Amino acid sequence: MKIEPLGGSLGAHVTGVDLRACSVDLCQQLRAEVLAYKVLQISGSVLSPDQLLKVAEGFGRPLVHPVVPHLEGHPGVIEIRNFGKAHTLNEHWHSDVSFEPEPPDFTFLHAHRVPQYGGDTLFANQVQAFEELSVGMKAALGRLRAVHSGAGLARIMGKSEVPEVVHPVVRQHPETGEKALYVCRAFSQRFEDMTGPESAPLLEYLFAWAVRPHVTIRVNWRPGDLVIWDNRSVQHYAVHDHGDMERVLLRVTTAGSRPIGESH
Ligand SMILES: O=C(O)CCC(=O)C(=O)O
């Protein structure tokens, strides 16, 4: 297995592994690398939905998405297709399903068909974003919690509204102990016990702070790539700059736990 960093802040590119036969040992090794690099792009294995689920099971229990329909016969797998820029669900910074009480730990995104150019995915390191704040801001944020809502996504998918949840603004990683910013433009609505307008100035500041270019990487997809990321320490953004060109990816997420803050 060869591992090369994808950028100065996060991410690594992995070659020399065959994911079609992902042993327990290999899955554990990859899991450790995801915790270290936060995002892994693993090239070279075209996987069926069942093979993708098998890799994911080496990390945790695959989940059924609360709002987006799954691939027929594969409850844990979502197919992401290009229905045009006006219909994209992911062209915004987010941490997957942060509007759930126990958001998924890991996401697995596997490229079957990719456009000739474009359709990249951006990732931002939320541990570095937190670490670069001032001591005073870190302390203030450590006392705050934010309300997350998937109502917008539910509306687009024609579902009845999903309940709001409250999570700490500073999330402590249960495995690495690292502290990360845990608010995102897509789902974080306001701070707990504050109105939207009261919350907006600081939330807007944090949304922008969290995705400054030097804490990001850009993943350019090739067919057969599997990208695995840790939702506890990154946000991501799907760039829709590929017009109507075909782009087909399969997605699986694995079970997580209730986000824990410093003072909760
Ligand atoms: O399509 C992509 O590149 C990213 C997909 C995404 O944002 C998601 O699955 O949450």
Side-chain angles (χ1 to χ4, degrees):
M1 175 156 98
K2 188 169 167 200
I3 304 185
E4 293 167 299
L6 278 170
S9 173
L10 76 163
H13 187 216
V14 178
T15 50
V17 293
D18 185 352
L19 294 174
R20 289 169 305 174
C22 198
S23 63
V24 173
D25 273 1
L26 177 56
C27 280
Q28 283 311 308
Q29 213 179 333
L30 292 173
R31 196 179 195 285
E33 298 299 347
V34 177
L35 291 181
Y37 285 102
K38 303 180 175 36
V39 178
L40 285 191
Q41 179 179 19
I42 309 167
S43 294
S45 309
V46 175
L47 303 174
S48 67
D50 282 333
Q51 287 168 328
L52 176 61
L53 279 167
K54 191 94 195 324
V55 176
E57 280 163 6
F59 284 63
R61 177 174 51 86
L63 294 172
V64 176
H65 196 284
V67 177
V68 179
H70 58 72
L71 193 66
E72 178 135 16
H74 298 281
V77 184
I78 292 171
E79 194 175 58
I80 296 180
R81 280 185 173 270
N82 180 11
F83 295 109
K85 190 171 173 73
H87 303 285
T88 179
L89 299 175
N90 299 319
E91 198 172 28
H92 49 202
W93 283 105
H94 61 290
S95 177
D96 279 331
V97 208
S98 73
F99 51 86
E100 285 275 283
E102 296 185 352
D105 284 350
F106 299 103
T107 301
F108 304 74
L109 199 56
H110 181 49
H112 270 195
R113 283 194 279 283
V114 299
Q116 191 188 348
Y117 56 81
D120 294 351
T121 308
L122 311 181
F123 293 90
N125 183 343
Q126 298 308 284
V127 173
Q128 187 175 348
F130 175 71
E131 280 170 359
E132 289 178 352
L133 290 165
S134 66
V135 173
M137 182 61 96
K138 283 179 186 157
L141 294 181
R143 292 189 289 273
L144 291 177
R145 304 204 305 166
V147 177
H148 295 240
S149 167
L153 183 60
R155 235 185 341 268
I156 293 170
M157 300 309 294
K159 300 271 163 147
S160 53
E161 292 214 348
V162 286
E164 293 181 331
V165 299
V166 177
H167 292 312
V169 168
V170 181
R171 181 175 188 181
Q172 183 139 28
H173 197 294
E175 298 184 71
T176 65
E178 291 175 316
K179 290 176 190 169
L181 265 185
Y182 195 64
V183 286
C184 61
R185 186 177 290 284
F187 304 131
S188 308
Q189 306 292 317
R190 61 187 183 280
F191 296 115
E192 185 181 38
D193 301 329
M194 293 190 205
T195 65
E198 285 168 343
S199 310
L202 181 53
L203 270 183
E204 283 297 327
Y205 179 82
L206 295 175
F207 294 157
W209 180 266
V211 300
R212 291 160 301 146
H214 73 282
V215 301
T216 71
I217 52 162
R218 184 172 186 123
V219 167
N220 178 243
W221 293 93
R222 294 285 170 264
D225 278 351
L226 173 64
V227 174
I228 309 175
W229 66 86
D230 186 338
N231 286 298
R232 298 164 290 186
S233 51
V234 302
Q235 293 190 51
H236 61 285
Y237 183 113
V239 180
H240 199 297
D241 57 351
H242 47 289
D244 293 327
M245 281 189 274
E246 195 177 30
R247 183 177 186 271
V248 183
L249 299 103
L250 300 183
R251 184 183 113 152
V252 174
T253 55
T254 53
S257 53
R258 182 171 279 278
I260 301 298
E262 315 178 90
S263 57
H264 307 104

